[in-house]
Each structure stands twice: as C-alpha cells, then as structure tokens.
Amino acid sequence: MSPFTGSASRTEAWRHLRLTLDDGVATITLSRPAKLNALTFGAYADLRDLLPELARDGSVRALVLGGAGRGFCSGGDVDDIIGATLAMDTGRLLDFNRMTGQVVRALRECPFPVIAAVHGVAAGAGAVLALAADFRIADPTARFAFLFTQVGLSGGDMGAAYLLPRVVGLGHATRLLMLGEPVKAEEAERIGLISTLTEEGQAPAAAQALARRLADGPALAHAQTKALLTAELDMPLSAAIELDAATQALLMHSADYAEFHAAFTAKRRPAWRGR
C-alpha cells in the first residue's frame, strides 16, 4: 500500500466501528454488540477505507481486530444485507461483493501484522475476517463457522477458498466451507485455525500483548515478512528464493539492521526504528 496521500484529509471519526491508537498499536473494535457485531454495508465500507488509511499513516506497527460484547462477529446482517441484496441488480451485487473482498485484501496487504482477538461467535464474514488476520488469538468460547453454503451461496466467499486451505489444509477447508458446520475452539486449535488458545476472557489481553511485542520490534522486518508470506503462496521455489534474496539485500541497508549490530556489540537491547 502506497504511503503517499492526495487531497483527502485523515478521517477523524468512524461511524460503524471503534478505533483507538496507542503508541503504534491500533485497535479496531466491531461495535454492534446487540447484533453480535453483524456487519452492515457501512461497516464493510469503513473497514475498506480505514485499513489503507492506517497503512498510509505510517505510525501503526500492529493492529488488533476484536468485537464488543458476547462475540467477535456473526457475519453479514441478515436484515440489512441479505434482505437488501435480494432487490439489487447484478452490477450492484458485484460492487458489494468486490467491496467485501477489498476488506480481506486490505487485511492481507497492510504493512503491519493483524491480530484477531476472537471470543464467542466468528461466523460467515466474521470467520473470514479472522482468517485474513496474521494471528488468531482465541479463548475457549470461540467458535468459527463458514456459513455461506447455509444461505445458498458458495463457500468461497471473500477469498475463503483461497485462504482457508493454506491455513488448515485442503481436507479441513473442504469440510468447513462445504458443510458450514461450527468449529469450537479446541478443534480450531488442533487443525491450526487458531494461533493461540487462551483462558476464557483473556483473548483481548493476549492480543494486545502480542501487538505490543510486535509494535516494539523491527517493524520493517515484520512488514516484509508479511509481504513475502502473501506473495510467495503461489510462487515456484526458484521465484520465491529470488524474491527473498532481493528483499534481504534491501533490508541489509536498513537502519534496523545496522542497529542490531551496534546493539549486539554494545551488549544492549536494539532500539528498533522501523527504518
């Protein structure tokens, strides 16, 4: 994502979610607890616009995505979205589905690690938002359900058929996307869908602790590692090795690389600058 901005000013308030910034850590909270944080058209649009804005800001070094109340996100709002889409023509439907995919691309392409703090339900689009994060920190109440076939749609929504096999393998992904059955936290951890399973109620704190660790670390190295993990998913080994070599050569000119050597020589902790 380009750091260069045009004439548009920074957005000061977001209507469909909560944003907090704390010394390099951004926290996005989906905030419709009475509806289990079901997504509306506005919520999708805010996520689509906010993530690139945070990327251009340059000060964000880690992001936590969570949900208010009893769950993470129950997916698209049945009344506000599914009911409305029944009246849309094909062009409008294509615009909507492209927008939801842009949110997933933004999560994967933003130059900082994204940590999903999951408790309670993560269903439909909510499950895909968690899937698109770099880390999924969940507590025992978490349950994931890719429900798209249950409403008569393809399980491959918002990039799920691309991402999920790469996280849990083709066999598990086929079962989860085809049947739409919920997966509880214990099984999700077993198949690799959860990065870390915490004690009940501790997922937000654990996600914040990980975000702080990442934000205090070598941000440029983290950004390039994330970029390579995404870019190399479909590359042959020879191309991946060449991309790795070019990236390392560039990072060897970075201030952080020189700082590591200086800190090691002086027997002190590195003061990472992300440059």
Side-chain angles (χ1 to χ4, degrees):
M1 292 184 180
S2 171
F4 300 103
T5 59
S7 301
S9 61
R10 178 175 174 174
T11 307
E12 296 300 327
W14 299 90
R15 287 192 298 157
H16 304 284
L17 46 81
R18 296 201 314 262
L19 171 68
T20 60
L21 299 169
D22 178 21
D23 191 23
V25 175
T27 302
I28 297 174
T29 304
L30 305 175
S31 190
R32 295 183 76 210
K35 293 272 191 149
L36 284 174
N37 303 316
L39 298 168
T40 62
F41 294 109
Y44 278 118
D46 269 4
L47 287 168
R48 176 201 61 196
D49 297 342
L50 171 58
L51 290 161
E53 189 169 301
L54 292 177
R56 290 191 297 270
D57 178 84
S59 66
V60 175
R61 300 187 296 277
L63 168 68
V64 175
L65 176 63
R70 297 179 293 114
F72 177 73
C73 176
S74 59
D77 190 288
V78 173
D79 295 322
D80 287 3
I81 288 185
I82 295 181
T85 54
L86 293 173
M88 291 182 182
D89 62 25
T90 302
R92 187 69 169 164
L93 290 169
L94 186 56
D95 287 339
F96 165 63
N97 284 283
R98 283 174 172 161
M99 175 175 67
T100 66
Q102 286 165 358
V103 173
V104 171
R105 283 192 60 184
L107 288 167
R108 295 304 315 145
E109 295 175 3
C110 61
F112 41 75
V114 177
I115 305 153
V118 182
H119 70 290
V121 65
V128 183
L129 292 181
L131 176 65
D134 300 290
F135 300 89
R136 283 160 295 283
I137 310 297
D139 80 6
T141 68
R143 60 189 188 279
F144 299 82
F146 298 86
L147 296 173
F148 307 107
T149 59
Q150 302 300 301
V151 300
L153 297 176
S154 164
D157 194 52
M158 298 170 62
Y162 178 90
L163 292 171
L164 192 59
R166 289 162 170 81
V167 172
V168 302
L170 180 60
H172 290 305
T174 300
R175 173 172 59 93
L176 298 183
L177 294 182
M178 196 80 72
L179 299 179
E181 295 175 345
V183 178
K184 294 182 179 179
E186 183 178 355
E187 183 186 0
E189 182 186 34
R190 179 179 63 80
I191 65 177
L193 184 55
I194 287 176
S195 309
T196 302
L197 184 62
T198 72
E199 297 294 326
E200 186 168 343
Q202 295 304 305
Q208 289 291 334
L210 177 57
R212 174 50 54 202
R213 174 183 173 184
L214 291 164
D216 290 345
L220 187 59
H222 293 155
Q224 294 306 309
T225 301
K226 176 171 180 172
L228 292 179
L229 284 167
T230 298
E232 294 181 11
L233 284 172
D234 299 308
M235 281 186 182
L237 178 60
S238 59
I241 288 174
E242 181 62 22
L243 183 58
D244 286 352
T247 301
Q248 295 296 53
L250 289 171
L251 289 177
M252 285 174 179
H253 281 297
S254 70
D256 278 352
Y257 185 67
E259 167 61 13
F260 165 76
H261 184 262
F264 181 83
T265 302
K267 296 181 171 56
R268 60 173 175 80
R269 293 175 63 86
W272 304 114
R273 294 171 51 200
R275 295 287 185 271

